[in-house]
Structure formats: structure tokens, C-alpha cells
Amino acid sequence: MRWGTSTRVTRARVSRWGDVRLWVGVVVLVASMFIGARVMASGEERVTVWRATQDLAVGSAVQAVEPVVVPASTSLEPYAHGPQAPQGILIRPVGTGELLPQGAFGVPDVAPTRVVTVPVNPLHLAAGVNSGDQVDVWATPDDRATASTPIKVVEHITVSEVNRDVVGTGGDIGVVLLVPEVEIPALVQAMRTGVVDIVKVPLAQTRGTDSGNQS
């Protein structure tokens, strides 16, 4: 009887140990599957950021951007991200191919400005000038008796619009500028007494605030 009882006890212990190992195996398997699923899911998470397809100047609205999908693990804090293209006015220039920074948008602190249309010969307008660009305005006094020296009338002015389809007297087109109020008298005088040239400011030299704020 003792031998039979001992055998039954031994078998019961082996059975319980087998059950424990079975459940441990099940737990390990489930945990492995859960962890694997989380890793795969995190690897598939993506987020959309926005990249400039051309140079974007200070003072212009956000345009010419394209979505770029990057892993969610990418550090996104400096960049504008989301399914919709960002909206706003640029307070710093953004170069072609650059991801749009969060800090590039805002309301610039500007001096009082006015909208002024400057008639200019197309050959005296820098190539590629468009809305949002910054320009300098130069004037050469129309003094045929002497060799006149060009002078810079205003600088770092934002272009509001270029009316290339509207041609005025002498073939001039209208370039609409946002001009600080204090600079308007000099600009108007230059338009009436000489030849005006509009020179584009390279993107790398544009100011970090709206061009209407003169230094």
C-alpha cells in the first residue's frame, strides 16, 4: 500500500508540474505575440510633415508645399505636421526642399504700411519677382544734361502683387508694394522724376520680420 500511495503522489506532482510549465509556456507565447504586434505597429506609424517646393519669402502666405511622410519616431517638434497644409504668414524665409518649421509662422511686428503701385518697365524689374518676395527700389533721376547716379529709395519691401497682364503707358506694368508710410514721399518723388528699377533681394538676405519694418 505504501508503494502504491507513493507512486500516486509522485504522478500527481509530475502532473501538476506539467500543468505549470504548460501555463508558463502559454503566457510567454501570448506575451511574445503582444510585444511583437506592438513593435510592428510602432514601426508602421507615420506622420505627415510639409516641405517647400520653392523658396518662400518673408511676408508671403504658405504656398508651394508638398507632404512628406516620415516615421512617427522622428523628432517632429520643430516642424509643422498634420494631414492639412499649414496656414499663415511667414516671418522667416524657407528655402526650397526645407521642412516648414513651426516657428516660421506668425504675425509680424510691422510699422504702419500702405499699398503703393509702382509703374515699372518690365526690363527694369528683376526676373522672377512674385508676390511675397522682398525687393529694393532704385531710382535714376531723369536728368539728361548730366550722368545721373542711381539711388536706393527704399529697401526690403514686400511685393504684394505683380500685374504683368495689365500694361500701362510706355509698356509699364504695375508692381504693388507694401511700403512703410514714412517712405512713401521719397518713393512717389522717385517715380515722378526718374527711372525706377526694382531689384529682388535674395532669400538668404531677407529679414526675419516683415519687410515693411525698416531698420
Side-chain angles (χ1 to χ4, degrees):
M1 290 296 294
R2 290 182 179 179
W3 181 85
T5 301
S6 176
T7 300
R8 287 194 296 272
V9 171
T10 300
R11 288 177 178 174
R13 289 177 178 174
V14 171
S15 178
R16 286 196 298 272
W17 174 241
D19 292 341
V20 171
R21 287 191 299 176
L22 175 62
W23 283 109
V24 169
V26 171
V27 171
V28 171
L29 178 61
V30 172
S32 299
M33 293 175 62
F34 178 76
I35 294 173
R38 288 293 301 273
V39 170
M40 293 179 64
S42 63
E44 293 175 354
E45 289 180 359
R46 297 289 187 271
V47 69
T48 300
V49 294
W50 296 87
R51 177 172 60 197
T53 58
Q54 67 181 44
D55 290 347
L56 304 177
V58 173
S60 63
V62 178
Q63 56 186 351
V65 294
E66 63 181 2
V68 179
V69 179
V70 298
S73 58
T74 304
S75 178
L76 298 173
E77 184 176 353
Y79 304 114
H81 56 278
Q84 301 296 326
Q87 303 292 321
I89 301 298
L90 291 170
I91 59 174
R92 55 145 288 189
V94 178
T96 303
E98 182 181 351
L99 296 180
L100 297 181
Q102 292 276 21
F105 315 97
V107 179
D109 181 18
V110 299
T113 60
R114 296 294 184 268
V115 179
V116 180
T117 299
V118 179
V120 59
N121 187 298
L123 296 179
H124 291 260
L125 174 65
V129 171
N130 289 300
S131 174
D133 288 337
Q134 290 190 24
V135 297
D136 297 337
V137 179
W138 290 75
T140 305
D142 190 10
D143 187 351
R144 302 182 186 278
T146 61
S148 300
T149 301
I151 59 172
K152 185 187 292 185
V153 182
V154 289
E155 63 179 359
H156 288 270
I157 300 301
T158 299
V159 177
S160 175
E161 185 180 357
V162 180
N163 294 321
R164 291 184 172 88
D165 296 332
V166 180
V167 180
T169 304
D172 290 348
I173 61 175
V175 180
V176 184
L177 304 177
L178 301 179
V179 183
E181 189 174 4
V182 296
E183 303 286 355
I184 291 177
L187 178 59
V188 172
Q189 182 180 9
M191 289 189 292
R192 295 185 180 279
T193 60
V195 178
V196 171
D197 287 81
I198 296 182
V199 181
K200 184 176 181 179
V201 179
L203 182 68
Q205 299 178 25
T206 56
R207 294 176 178 173
T209 57
D210 187 273
S211 59
N213 190 10
Q214 301 292 310
S215 60

